[in-house]
Structures are given as structure tokens and as C-alpha cells.
């Protein structure tokens, strides 16, 4: 496989560390993807979800003209419009959370996921509600995204009929995902078994991610992270570099290596793949910093 064919980028990633990344199942190989996907790293946990900041309190209406005869009058309290709007939006988001869970329990997974995702992206959920919405969404996406099942009305997953001579690697590159992922969600053990005329499940990638440093987590999205129209997929645990060696900024995923050797910068020599002392595990994701504190950095 040529270097050009093997190159693929992942997506925008608000993160502080990708060492020990357990999302290897969806990391992308080096293959050309239309529009370079980037990884943006931030040390601020505010990147994990959008927030709505209320406007300054509205002034209270008062009458300043003197009136010695009349008793003092307490002016009516005027509730700021922004606060009122938030008071309305909060129950709406909470209702969507309850309704979304009810639909998931009833087996209407795509509709339930949409309600939960809309509530999550609204920025109106509390921390506890946000965690619950993400848990429910991740569980639903085990079936909607990562299983062999296809669902009507799913805007992120669809089907593709294999043309004569069409390779799975090319299908995956066009979708912005890996061939390994397409094999997995279609229950295919070997890409050579793919036959012309077969209908397979595909994902409209690429994936993007947001790593929150203080929580040691990576949130995975389809579409721009935490943007309108994006879809929260799941959360993975991640490890962070020692001594704050996890700079914030934007990163591009350059390469994904299976069973990598570890070339120790601490004088330990070369540690072979499979060795329990190898800190890289089964996969290595090579990164290049492109923005913020990541500029010029080649590891994370």
C-alpha cells in the first residue's frame, strides 16, 4: 500500500493528551481525506460542552421624581429576559433527556438518540445530567454506530452497494474512516471476501474528538465537536504525559501503527511490540501539532 493510500487524518480534537489512547478501533490510517482533519487540544474543560452565558441583568424600572406625601413604593422586580429564557430552556432540556431515555427504552434508538444529543448540545444540562446523557448516548451508539445493524433515519450511518472491482480501502477512505472499522461493523473477517453487489453498512466520518485533561477522557464525535449538527458518539479513557507533557492546541493525526516498537528517550533502548514494558500498547497514533501550544510538537 502506497504512503498516499495509507494516509488518513482523524478530526478536530480538543485534547491535552493522546498517549494511551484507547480509541484505536476508530483511529484513522494514513489515507487522503477531503479536507484535512485536525486535532485541537485545550487544557480547559469548557471545551467539552457548549455553554450559554446569560446577559447582564436588566435595569429595574424606577421613578426618581420626589413625592413627599406618598409612602415609599417598592418598585416591581423586572426579571431579565436572558434569565427567563434560560429558565424556559432548562426544563426543556431536562424533558428531552427524560423523553430520549424513554424512547431508547422503547427501542426507538435513532429518535431517542436525537433527543438526547440535542439536549447535550444545548449546553443547558447540569454536570450530572450531561454525564447521564453521554452515558445513554454511548450505550445507544453501540448498536447504532458500532454494530452490524442499520437503522432507518440515521443520518450518520448508511449503506453502500459494492461496485465491481471496488476495494474496501477506497470505500473507507471516501467515508473518512478505516477499512478495519468497516470490516468490524459489517461482521467481515477478511476484506478479500467482499463481493461486488454486496450491500455494506458505512459511517459518514471522519470522527473528531475532545480530550478533557482533568477528567482523563476523550469524547468522540461525528461532525465538529460540540457544534450544532454534530453527533456525540462515546467516551474513552485516556492517559496523559508526565510533567504536563500534554500541550494544548490543534493536532493532525498523521499515522496509525499497529503493534509498534518503543524507542525509549530515557535510555531504555528498543522495547519490542508485545513486551509488557512497552508503554505504547497495541497501537501508536502519530501526531503533528498545528495550532496553539502544539505548534512544532511531534508527540503528545
Amino acid at each position: 500500500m502506497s504512503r498516499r493510500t495509507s494516509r488518513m487524518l482523524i478530526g478536530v480534537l480538543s485534547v491535552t493528551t493522546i498517549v494511551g489512547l484507547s480509541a484505536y478501533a476508530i483511529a484513522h490510517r494514513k489515507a487522503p481525506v477531503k479536507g484535512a482533519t485536525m486535532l485541537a487540544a485545550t487544557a480547559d474543560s469548557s471545551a467539552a460542552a457548549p455553554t450559554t452565558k446569560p446577559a447582564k441583568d436588566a435595569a429595574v424600572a424606577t421613578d426618581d421624581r420626589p413625592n413627599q406625601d406618598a409612602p415609599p413604593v417598592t418598585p416591581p422586580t423586572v426579571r431579565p429576559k436572558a434569565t427567563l429564557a434560560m429558565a424556559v430552556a432548562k426544563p426543556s432540556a431536562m424533558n428531552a433527556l427524560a423523553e430520549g431515555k424513554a424512547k431508547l427504552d422503547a427501542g426507538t434508538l435513532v429518535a431517542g438518540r436525537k433527543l438526547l444529543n440535542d439536549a447535550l448540545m444545548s449546553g443547558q444540562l447540569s454536570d450530572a445530567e450531561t454525564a447521564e446523557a453521554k452515558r445513554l448516548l454511548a450505550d445507544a451508539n453501540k448498536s447504532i454506530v458500532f454494530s452490524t445493524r442499520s437503522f432507518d433515519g440515521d443520518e450518520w450511518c448508511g449503506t453502500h452497494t459494492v461496485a465491481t472491482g471496488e476495494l474496501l480501502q477506497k470505500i473507507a477512505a471516501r467515508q473518512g474512516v478505516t477499512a478495519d472499522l468497516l470490516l468490524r461493523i459489517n461482521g467481515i473477517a477478511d476484506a478479500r471476501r467482499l463481493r461486488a453487489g454486496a450491500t455494506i453498512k458505512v459511517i459518514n466520518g471522519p470522527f473528531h474528538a475532545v480530550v478533557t485533561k482533568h477528567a482523563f477522557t476523550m469524547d468522540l464525535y461525528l461532525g465538529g465537536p460540540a457544534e450544532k449538527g454534530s453527533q456525540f458518539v462515546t467516551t474513552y479513557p485516556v492517559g496523559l504525559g508526565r510533567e504536563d507533557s500534554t500541550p494544548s492546541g490543534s493536532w493532525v493525526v498523521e499515522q496509525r501503527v499497529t503493534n509498534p516498537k518503543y524507542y525509549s528517550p530515557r535510555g531504555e533502548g528498543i522495547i519490542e511490540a508485545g513486551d509488557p514494558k512497552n508503554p505504547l500498547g497495541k497501537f501508536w497514533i502519530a501526531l503533528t501539532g498545528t495550532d496553539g501550544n502544539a505548534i512544532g510538537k511531534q508527540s503528545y
Side-chain angles (χ1 to χ4, degrees), residues 48 52 84 177 269 278:
T52 301
L84 180 62
V177 297
N278 187 329

Side-chain angles (χ1 to χ4, degrees), residues 31-278:
V33 177
K34 184 177 181 181
T37 25
M38 292 175 14
L39 177 140
T42 61
D44 192 342
S45 62
S46 63
T51 57
T52 301
K53 188 174 182 180
K56 293 183 179 179
D57 292 343
V60 176
T62 60
D63 189 343
D64 293 329
R65 290 174 298 177
N67 188 340
Q68 301 297 329
D69 300 327
V73 178
T74 302
T77 301
V78 178
R79 195 175 188 182
K81 292 183 178 180
T83 305
L84 180 62
M86 290 186 67
V88 173
K90 178 71 173 177
S92 177
M94 291 174 62
N95 290 342
L97 189 62
E99 292 172 10
K101 183 179 184 306
K103 286 189 177 294
L104 293 185
D105 291 341
T108 315
L109 299 187
V110 173
R113 183 182 68 171
K114 184 177 187 331
L115 284 169
L116 290 167
N117 194 69
D118 288 347
L120 179 65
M121 296 304 163
S122 73
Q124 300 297 329
L125 300 179
S126 67
D127 289 346
E129 291 163 348
T130 294
E132 176 65 3
K134 287 182 176 181
R135 185 190 69 79
L136 292 169
L137 285 165
D139 191 58
N141 284 319
K142 289 178 183 178
S143 296
I144 301 174
V145 177
F146 297 121
S147 79
T148 58
R149 297 173 61 189
S150 294
F151 295 82
D152 292 337
D154 182 9
E155 62 180 303
W156 296 105
C157 298
T159 58
H160 173 76
T161 301
V162 180
T164 302
E166 192 172 28
L167 300 176
L168 189 66
Q169 186 70 36
K170 289 186 177 180
I171 298 172
R174 188 166 57 245
Q175 297 296 133
V177 297
T178 64
D180 286 344
L181 180 57
L182 294 187
L183 286 174
R184 172 185 167 188
I185 65 173
N186 284 283
I188 302 173
D190 190 338
R192 291 173 294 184
R193 296 182 181 179
L194 193 64
R195 296 288 181 264
T199 299
I200 62 172
K201 179 179 177 179
V202 294
I203 298 174
N204 300 322
F207 290 88
H208 300 70
V210 177
V211 171
T212 304
K213 257 177 118 173
H214 76 273
F216 295 89
T217 59
M218 182 182 76
D219 291 341
L220 202 67
Y221 292 85
L222 286 166
E227 293 179 359
K228 184 178 180 180
S230 65
Q231 174 64 58
F232 175 84
V233 179
T234 192
T235 298
Y236 292 97
V238 293
L240 301 180
R242 295 175 181 174
E243 300 175 357
D244 201 29
S245 58
T246 309
S248 60
S250 297
W251 303 79
V252 170
V253 176
E254 293 285 358
Q255 189 179 21
R256 174 179 177 265
V257 180
T258 303
N259 295 321
K261 294 181 179 181
Y262 180 63
Y263 298 86
S264 174
R266 302 181 180 88
E268 301 167 293
I270 300 174
I271 302 178
E272 296 294 328
D275 190 320
K277 295 181 181 179
N278 187 329

